[in-house]
């Protein structure tokens, strides 16, 4: 560029008028000089437009970030009071019983994996045993999920991670208190962290990061065995990519494998310390297959439950954006789609249609949707319009999710009524002399709130009621009856129904020995029923031992 062109460019960029140009003496020189000045002006105009667009884009992202933060903050304020209920309360009660000397699987008749015991036990012994501690834990899970999504999306646009995390957190919130801190939610967050570390490894090539990938993935597999095949698939895909790039495969693979095996080693040490390894093996090859056969719903019903209309709409918009881009998906994008497929397979594989079974799928869906929408905003034409529409729809959904969460109430009638009954029957003096026989968590939740230890380790009534031809039922009855005779409870609470079907108390007839025990040595103290709620039809009967001090006080 000529000196005159450089001076013009400098003055244009600094908003200072250039010196008047001398009158052209030579036509060709004037044309050259004019051409150079024109190019400089065009470059500066384009540069100014680009800078202004970046300024607008940054301001817009900040405003969106504030909007997401406000929605999340309102959600926290509206739900901070939620009680710990449903399965997490039941699992905390199980840990409470372990602290009082009962061994998992050996004394406790229960079907969950040991990883979730360690999670609940850790929360109880760090954050505390109250409902507030569990809310903090649930909020922490959402925060960790947000961190992982931002790490994954950062090379594309950090805003996508924030949008995906907000959608996931508030959608989870609208499911209500009964889904807070559920097992599949923890699995979803751990898998997001595993993805974040896996992607970070390929971006930075640090070996400790691939170990962290394995650690998170292994922890997820100790909570439920469902993620384990998928974890090894991810490890295989990572090894293939390293090999194609001509990089060492063995060392990173060993680091990852060490990370995966570490949680399993911790779980094995925990079970060995409780002398429960053989009982855990019985759970894996006898009890779990039996439980998986219960309560499975038809395929068409599962298809209707797998995703709500709002999720399907967002997914269709994102899919249209991805197809219209027509640029193909990179390795990371394909792995995110694989995460969605795993989540769908996990939901259908479990076959029960519980809301929290969708969380692994939803975590990857919301992240992938957010990445498609936010990156699509840079494009013009149909892609840009679709992306703007998707963003607008997401912005409308967030306050709706918050509103639904604020109005979602877990009906406390069952626990409040049972609490009052147990307090009248002796309160804390019943510890060690009371027994719940009910599959839903309401009864165990009540005992946990009152800090009452059960007489036996039975948690689920479907393990003792049913056909004695089933090995699980035959074995569980033997163990329960031994514990029952050794430490006969003064008060027995029998819940209505038998999972997965039925309402009423006809299940007692399937085990005449226990039915006769209640008829001979107990009297019916109360028979209560409640309107249908989130956990379905609910009712209970309280039986009080005839010759006990409790019975004499009541008479």
């Amino acid at each position: 560029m000529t000196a005159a062109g450089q001076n013009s460019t400098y003055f244009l960029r600094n908003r200072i008028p250039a010196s008047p140009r001398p009158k052209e003496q030579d036509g060709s020189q004037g044309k050259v000089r004019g051409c150079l000045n024109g190019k400089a002006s065009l470059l500066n105009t384009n540069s100014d437009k680009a800078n202004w667009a970046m300024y607008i884009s940054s301001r817009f992202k900040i405003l969106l970030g504030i909007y997401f933060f406000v929605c999340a903050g309102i959600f926290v304020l509206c739900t901070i009071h939620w009680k710990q209920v449903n399965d997490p309360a039941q699992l905390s009660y199980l840990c409470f019983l372990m602290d009082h000397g009962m061994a998992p699987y050996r004394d406790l008749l229960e079907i969950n994996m040991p990883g979730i015991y360690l999670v609940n036990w850790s929360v109880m012994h760090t954050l505390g045993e109250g409902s507030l501690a569990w809310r903090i834990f649930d909020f922490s899970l959402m925060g960790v999920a947000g961190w992982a999504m931002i790490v994954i999306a950062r090379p594309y646009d950090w805003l996508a991670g924030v949008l995906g995390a907000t959608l996931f957190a508030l959608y989870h919130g609208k499911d209500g208190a009964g889904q807070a801190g559920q097992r599949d939610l923890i699995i979803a967050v751990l898998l997001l962290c595993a993805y974040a570390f896996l992607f970070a490894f390929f971006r930075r090539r640090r070996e400790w990061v691939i170990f962290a990938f394995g650690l998170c993935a292994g922890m997820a597999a100790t909570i439920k065995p469902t993620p384990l095949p998928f974890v090894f698939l991810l490890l295989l895909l990572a090894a293939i990519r390293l090999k194609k790039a001509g990089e060492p495969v063995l060392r990173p693979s060993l680091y990852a494998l060490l990370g995966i095996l570490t949680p399993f080693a911790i779980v094995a040490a925990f079970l060995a310390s409780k002398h429960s390894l053989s009982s855990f093996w019985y759970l894996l090859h006898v009890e779990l297959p039996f439980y998986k056969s219960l309560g499975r719903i038809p395929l068409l019903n599962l298809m209707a439950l797998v995703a709500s209309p709002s999720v399907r709409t967002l997914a269709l918009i994102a899919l249209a954006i991805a197809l219209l881009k027509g640029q193909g998906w990179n390795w990371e994008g394909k792995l995110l789609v694989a995460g969605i497929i795993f989540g769908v397979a996990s939901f259908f594989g479990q076959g029960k249609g519980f809301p929290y079974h969708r969380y692994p799928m939803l975590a990857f869906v919301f992240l992938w949707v957010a990445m498609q929408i936010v990156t699509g905003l840079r494009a013009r034409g149909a892609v840009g319009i679709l992306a703007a529409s998707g963003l607008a729809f997401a912005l409308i959904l967030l306050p709706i999710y918050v509103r639904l969460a604020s109005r979602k109430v877990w009906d406390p009638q069952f626990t409040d009524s049972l609490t009052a009954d147990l307090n009248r029957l002796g309160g804390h003096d019943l510890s060690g002399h009371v027994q719940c026989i009910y599959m839903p968590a309401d009864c165990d939740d009540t005992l946990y709130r009152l800090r009452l230890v059960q007489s036996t380790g039975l948690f689920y009534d479907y393990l003792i009621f049913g056909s004695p031809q089933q090995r699980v039922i035959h074995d569980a009855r033997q163990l329960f009856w031994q514990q029952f005779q050794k430490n006969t409870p003064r008060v027995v609470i029998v819940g209505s129904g038998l999972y997965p079907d039925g309402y009423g108390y006809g299940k007692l007839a399937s085990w005449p020995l226990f039915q006769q025990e209640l008829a001979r040595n107990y009297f019916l103290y109360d028979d209560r029923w409640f309107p249908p709620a989130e956990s379905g039809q609910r009712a209970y009967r309280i039986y009080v031992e005839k010759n006990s001090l409790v019975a004499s006080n009541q008479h």
Side-chain angles (χ1 to χ4, degrees):
M1 184 179 287
T2 64
Q6 290 175 345
N7 287 335
S8 298
T9 301
Y10 172 81
F11 289 129
L12 282 167
R13 284 179 179 169
N14 291 274
R15 306 290 188 202
I16 302 174
S19 301
R21 210 170 39 223
K23 188 175 181 179
E24 304 294 350
Q25 299 297 325
D26 181 66
S28 60
Q29 289 180 356
K31 288 180 181 179
V32 171
R33 194 176 288 116
C35 180
L36 290 170
N37 288 333
K39 287 182 178 179
S41 298
L42 181 61
L43 286 170
N44 290 318
T45 302
N46 290 337
S47 176
D48 290 342
K49 287 181 179 179
N51 291 334
W52 180 247
M54 289 178 63
Y55 175 72
I56 293 292
S57 176
S58 299
R59 290 286 296 272
F60 184 59
K61 287 182 180 180
I62 292 172
L63 289 175
L64 286 177
I66 293 172
Y67 179 75
F68 299 151
F69 179 78
V70 169
C71 288
I74 295 173
F75 163 69
V76 170
L77 293 175
C78 290
T79 64
I80 190 69
H81 65 280
W82 278 356
K83 299 291 186 182
Q84 185 187 23
V85 294
N86 206 15
D87 297 348
Q90 196 169 44
L91 288 164
S92 291
Y93 182 58
L94 184 145
C95 294
F96 171 77
L97 293 182
M98 284 196 297
D99 285 342
H100 284 78
M102 293 192 185
Y105 311 119
R106 187 163 52 85
D107 299 322
L108 296 169
L109 294 168
E110 217 271 336
I111 50 87
N112 281 285
M113 297 291 287
I116 192 61
Y117 300 165
L118 297 180
V119 170
N120 281 61
W121 188 90
S122 299
V123 173
M124 290 168 59
H125 289 80
T126 53
L127 299 177
E129 296 186 0
S131 294
L132 179 59
W134 198 252
R135 289 306 296 137
I136 293 172
F137 173 64
D138 191 61
F139 292 145
S140 300
L141 287 175
M142 296 301 97
V144 173
W147 167 83
M149 288 190 183
I150 291 171
V151 169
I152 292 168
R154 189 174 180 182
Y156 310 93
D157 200 310
W158 62 266
L159 184 66
V162 179
L163 173 58
T166 309
L167 283 168
F168 181 54
L170 299 188
Y171 189 94
H172 160 60
K174 85 173 186 62
D175 285 340
Q179 314 309 322
Q182 281 280 14
R183 289 148 292 181
D184 291 68
L185 176 67
I186 302 171
I187 289 171
V189 174
L190 287 171
L191 288 179
L192 283 173
C193 292
Y195 264 66
F197 286 121
L198 182 62
F199 290 0
F201 169 74
F202 281 102
R203 294 167 186 170
R204 300 179 184 178
R205 295 300 196 272
R206 294 178 182 173
E207 289 176 337
W208 73 265
V209 177
I210 197 69
F211 171 80
F213 152 75
L215 188 66
C216 292
M219 290 169 63
T222 65
I223 294 173
K224 278 189 178 182
T226 344
L228 191 58
F230 181 63
V231 166
F232 283 109
L233 175 62
L234 290 176
L235 183 58
L236 176 63
L237 294 174
I240 291 173
R241 190 181 184 201
L242 286 172
K243 187 174 182 180
K244 285 184 177 179
E247 299 184 39
V249 175
L250 182 60
R251 189 178 176 89
S253 299
L254 289 176
Y255 269 94
L257 192 60
L258 179 62
I260 292 171
L261 293 177
T262 299
F264 285 93
I266 293 172
V267 163
F270 163 71
L271 293 176
S273 70
K274 301 292 184 179
H275 307 287
S276 297
L277 284 172
S278 60
S279 301
F280 178 62
W281 174 248
Y282 175 84
L283 166 79
L284 290 178
H285 78 279
V286 178
E287 287 184 336
L288 275 185
F290 171 73
Y291 173 71
K292 288 179 180 178
S293 68
L294 299 176
R296 298 189 70 86
I297 65 177
L299 180 61
L300 289 178
N301 292 359
L302 286 173
M303 292 176 67
L305 293 170
V306 67
S308 65
S310 62
V311 174
R312 292 178 186 178
T313 303
L314 284 172
L316 287 173
I317 292 173
L319 182 61
I321 293 172
L323 293 175
L324 286 174
K325 283 179 181 177
Q327 299 173 347
W329 296 337
N330 61 12
W331 187 78
E332 292 182 350
K334 291 175 182 177
L335 249 62
L336 289 177
V337 174
I340 296 173
I341 295 171
F342 159 73
V344 173
S346 174
F347 178 80
F348 281 94
Q350 295 185 78
K352 291 176 172 57
F354 296 150
Y356 64 90
H357 287 175
R358 301 177 297 184
Y359 287 146
M361 176 203 70
L362 289 172
F364 288 105
V365 164
F366 282 131
L367 176 57
W368 184 77
V369 163
M371 290 174 66
Q372 295 300 325
I373 287 175
V374 172
T375 56
L377 291 172
R378 304 168 189 159
R380 296 180 179 179
V383 171
I385 293 172
L386 277 171
S389 302
L391 179 61
F393 184 58
L395 296 180
I396 293 170
L397 284 177
L398 294 179
I400 294 175
Y401 289 164
V402 173
R403 185 168 179 265
L404 291 173
S406 65
R407 296 189 172 192
K408 191 86 169 183
V409 177
W410 185 271
D411 188 353
Q413 290 185 76
F414 187 109
T415 52
D416 289 349
S417 173
L418 183 56
T419 298
D421 283 334
L422 293 177
N423 280 329
R424 281 192 294 268
L425 289 169
H428 193 265
D429 290 338
L430 292 176
S431 187
H433 308 288
V434 62
Q435 178 62 47
C436 280
I437 301 178
Y438 196 34
M439 187 268 187
D442 305 83
C443 188
D444 294 322
D445 181 14
T446 305
L447 297 188
Y448 180 50
R449 293 183 188 186
L450 294 173
R451 299 299 187 264
L452 300 180
V453 177
Q454 279 197 151
S455 295
T456 79
L458 178 71
F459 269 78
Y460 304 130
D461 55 2
Y462 61 76
L463 291 175
I464 60 172
F465 295 125
S467 172
Q469 302 302 318
Q470 290 277 1
R471 180 184 172 186
V472 172
I473 294 177
H474 177 270
D475 295 345
R477 282 181 180 179
Q478 281 191 327
L479 179 57
F480 169 73
W481 190 247
Q482 289 172 4
Q483 294 177 347
F484 191 91
Q485 294 296 307
K486 184 178 180 180
N487 185 25
T488 303
R490 300 172 191 164
V491 175
V492 176
I493 305 111
V494 180
S496 172
L498 179 64
Y499 180 78
D501 303 308
Y503 181 73
Y505 300 92
K507 61 186 178 183
L508 292 172
S510 69
W511 192 12
L513 177 64
F514 185 71
Q515 186 179 36
Q516 292 165 11
E517 172 71 15
L518 291 179
R520 184 169 51 248
N521 297 317
Y522 291 81
F523 71 90
L524 181 62
Y525 170 78
D526 212 339
D527 188 350
R528 299 189 184 275
W529 64 273
F530 308 92
E534 186 175 339
S535 56
Q537 294 278 358
R538 299 171 308 153
Y540 67 81
R541 288 177 177 174
I542 293 182
Y543 294 89
V544 176
E545 192 178 24
K546 292 178 180 178
N547 299 323
S548 69
L549 181 62
V550 174
S552 61
N553 289 338
Q554 294 307 308
H555 292 298

